[in-house]
Amino acid sequence: MLTATVPPATGDPAFANVGLVPIPAGVGDEQAIMLSDIWPTAWFGARLAEVRPGETVAVFGAGPVGQLAVLSAYL
């Protein structure tokens, strides 16, 4: 399992030191990168919109975040 190591907090307002999770063996970089920023952004947008089963949603933008927003709306 791969994990990231983080230096002690220095008062810097960066948030890169929170939310670290181990990446299971067998998960490639191409798969793991989706967990870093793209999917959480899309998922949080669906949560903010309070999407419910059976509702219709409109996603503007067909890039990576837009594609995962569509997927997150189904979840």
Side-chain angles (χ1 to χ4, degrees):
M1 239 181 244
L2 302 174
T3 57
T5 57
V6 179
T10 60
D12 186 358
F15 296 102
N17 63 337
V18 297
L20 297 177
V21 295
I23 299 173
V27 174
D29 290 343
E30 296 81 14
Q31 296 167 314
I33 194 67
M34 294 298 194
L35 299 175
S36 67
D37 181 53
I38 300 169
W39 195 323
T41 299
W43 179 81
F44 187 63
R47 290 262 330 236
L48 285 177
E50 298 179 359
V51 177
R52 301 285 181 246
E55 291 184 329
T56 300
V57 298
V59 176
F60 295 92
V65 176
Q67 293 295 312
L68 289 173
V70 170
L71 179 61
S72 295
Y74 282 109
L75 302 176

